[in-house]
Amino acid sequence: MNYIQLSIIIPVFKVKDYVRKCLESVLAISNLNYEIIVVQDVHADNSLEDVPDLLNNPLIRICNQKNAGLSAARNAGLFLAKGEFVYFMDSDDYINPIAFSNFFVRYYPLSPDILVGAFKYVNENGEGLEQQNNQLVFTAQGVFKGQDYLLRYLSLPMVWLNIYKRSFCLDNQLDFKTGIYFEDNEFTPRALYLAQDVCVTSSPFYYYRIRSGSLAQQMFDGKKLEDSVFVANSLLDFSNYRVKEKRMKSYFAERALSIFFGTLGFFLQNHFVNKEQEREINLLLRRVSLLANLPFHFRLMLLFHRITLRGMLYVVKKRYKYKYFQS
């Protein structure tokens, strides 16, 4: 094979009804030298048994591993990748191959650290959901510095929107934290902060399938709450060790709290916080409150969040006449 411009990494798990559409869409890409790395769970999944005709394509390489989760599968693909750029795609979604290749070819000569795309929602049958599409406004297009894009435009952290220069990931030791939910929320802000040049399109090439059974549609349980605390602390750790600018430290603190409080809100719709979870939450909030050089408006916001959380926990204790409820 000639010099490989792009490695497309596709973790596969429990997507038997959707993986053919995914693979057919990436195999239809033209005008690029690329490879496809399919990372499958060899012990608990039969997603690939109906697509042997596609797997025989010389563009496809298969990586077998035990079910170690989405992050571990992405890391395995990154380790095997030979392309100058890497793209992490979900196996129940699909792309518009023409729009994708046009976007990549347009900005490839600039050799950016990250290319950022746009997407549309579809249902389980691949039919467009126009109401939800219209709720997403993509105002950015062109070339940005990573920190500027992070501050001004990042609202959706999904990794499948982005194409990364492989050397950029390796040089900065950017990998995915394993065994957690919200891995994209942990990865994307770090990557954008470290990026020099980011090329952005407002033309969608990705079709995100909303379906029952996907990771994104699962209920917010105790594991998700605990992982949101982990992600918040991870972003704060990154800010402590790598971030120098005052405005960016404030951004990472606010981003960390928004991830946590967003999850907590969904969690409390169906569960109560137990004693151990409350302890971890209070440690996180105390850590943020002790950060130096936070702007005044942010300290007010943090105080409001702490008061709100204490109020919610107080109501639960009084209403149910005992302190904690194990879900």
Side-chain angles (χ1 to χ4, degrees):
M1 180 179 289
N2 295 328
Y3 178 78
I4 299 175
Q5 296 171 293
L6 177 67
S7 296
I8 300 175
I9 299 166
I10 307 177
V12 171
F13 182 69
K14 293 185 178 181
V15 289
K16 187 176 181 180
D17 295 335
Y18 311 105
V19 69
R20 175 173 289 275
K21 178 75 171 179
C22 173
L23 292 177
E24 287 178 341
S25 73
V26 294
L27 286 170
I29 294 173
S30 60
N31 302 324
L32 294 180
N33 292 324
Y34 69 104
E35 64 174 355
I36 301 167
I37 301 174
V38 175
V39 185
Q40 72 162 343
D41 170 27
V42 296
H43 289 277
D45 196 42
N46 62 350
S47 294
L48 298 177
E49 69 177 15
D50 291 339
V51 292
D53 54 316
L54 301 181
L55 300 181
N56 288 331
N57 192 297
L59 292 174
I60 293 180
R61 289 196 287 153
I62 297 178
C63 169
N64 296 320
Q65 69 169 21
K66 296 181 180 180
N67 179 25
L70 177 61
S71 292
R74 287 172 171 173
N75 290 337
L78 178 61
F79 177 79
L80 294 173
K82 299 178 180 177
E84 183 181 355
F85 287 82
V86 292
Y87 177 57
F88 302 97
M89 183 176 177
D90 285 358
S91 51
D92 52 349
D93 302 330
Y94 58 96
I95 63 169
N96 179 323
I98 296 176
F100 181 90
S101 60
N102 287 344
F103 170 52
F104 185 80
V105 169
R106 176 181 178 183
Y107 289 113
Y108 175 78
L110 300 180
S111 191
D113 291 325
I114 304 176
L115 297 90
V116 180
F119 76 103
K120 290 185 177 181
Y121 286 109
V122 295
N123 63 17
E124 292 196 37
N125 298 319
E127 300 165 339
L129 301 175
E130 292 301 326
Q131 181 177 3
Q132 288 182 276
N133 290 341
N134 292 338
Q135 293 174 358
L136 296 171
V137 180
F138 296 94
T139 57
Q141 180 154 322
V143 182
F144 300 84
K145 294 300 180 183
Q147 293 182 26
D148 291 338
Y149 182 81
L150 185 60
L151 283 173
R152 296 171 58 189
Y153 293 111
L154 179 67
S155 58
L156 304 171
M158 291 83 79
V159 166
W160 42 255
L161 279 175
N162 306 328
I163 304 171
Y164 301 89
K165 185 187 292 182
R166 184 165 62 96
S167 61
F168 165 73
C169 293
L170 298 177
D171 292 345
N172 288 286
Q173 298 180 324
L174 287 169
D175 59 1
F176 296 91
K177 306 298 184 185
T178 59
I180 65 168
Y181 292 103
F182 314 118
E183 59 279 317
D184 290 4
N185 281 283
E186 197 279 336
F187 181 91
T188 300
R190 292 189 293 126
L192 284 170
Y193 173 81
L194 295 170
Q196 292 299 310
D197 293 320
V198 176
C199 296
V200 185
T201 182
S202 59
S203 301
F205 63 73
Y206 194 89
Y207 293 89
Y208 176 74
R209 195 188 301 267
I210 297 179
R211 64 179 184 89
S212 58
S214 67
L215 287 175
Q217 300 302 314
Q218 293 176 7
M219 183 170 289
F220 281 74
D221 55 12
K223 167 67 171 167
K224 285 191 173 182
L225 179 63
E226 292 157 14
D227 286 353
S228 73
V229 175
F230 174 88
V231 169
N233 277 304
S234 180
L235 292 178
L236 293 175
D237 288 341
F238 177 81
S239 178
N240 286 342
Y241 292 109
R242 300 294 297 271
V243 177
K244 299 178 181 179
E245 306 83 2
K246 179 179 177 180
R247 64 171 187 162
M248 298 308 302
K249 283 185 175 292
S250 296
Y251 171 85
F252 273 92
E254 188 167 353
R255 186 89 189 178
L257 279 184
S258 68
I259 293 167
F260 161 68
F261 278 109
T263 306
L264 180 65
F266 282 106
F267 178 82
L268 290 176
Q269 292 178 18
N270 297 285
H271 307 276
F272 299 118
V273 175
N274 63 38
K275 186 175 182 179
E276 178 62 23
Q277 291 165 339
E278 183 180 14
R279 186 183 75 85
E280 292 298 322
I281 289 169
N282 285 327
L283 285 174
L284 172 63
L285 296 180
R286 176 172 173 79
R287 178 182 183 182
V288 176
S289 68
L290 293 176
L291 292 176
N293 299 320
L294 288 180
F296 179 72
H297 77 278
F298 187 83
R299 292 193 177 278
L300 284 179
M301 183 186 70
L302 177 60
L303 177 63
F304 170 78
H305 283 319
R306 297 188 72 174
I307 293 173
T308 301
L309 178 61
R310 288 177 181 271
M312 288 189 294
L313 296 176
Y314 178 81
V315 169
V316 169
K317 294 172 188 176
K318 289 295 184 182
R319 179 177 178 182
Y320 293 92
K321 302 184 186 308
Y322 49 76
K323 192 170 184 182
Y324 303 107
F325 181 85
Q326 295 280 359
S327 58

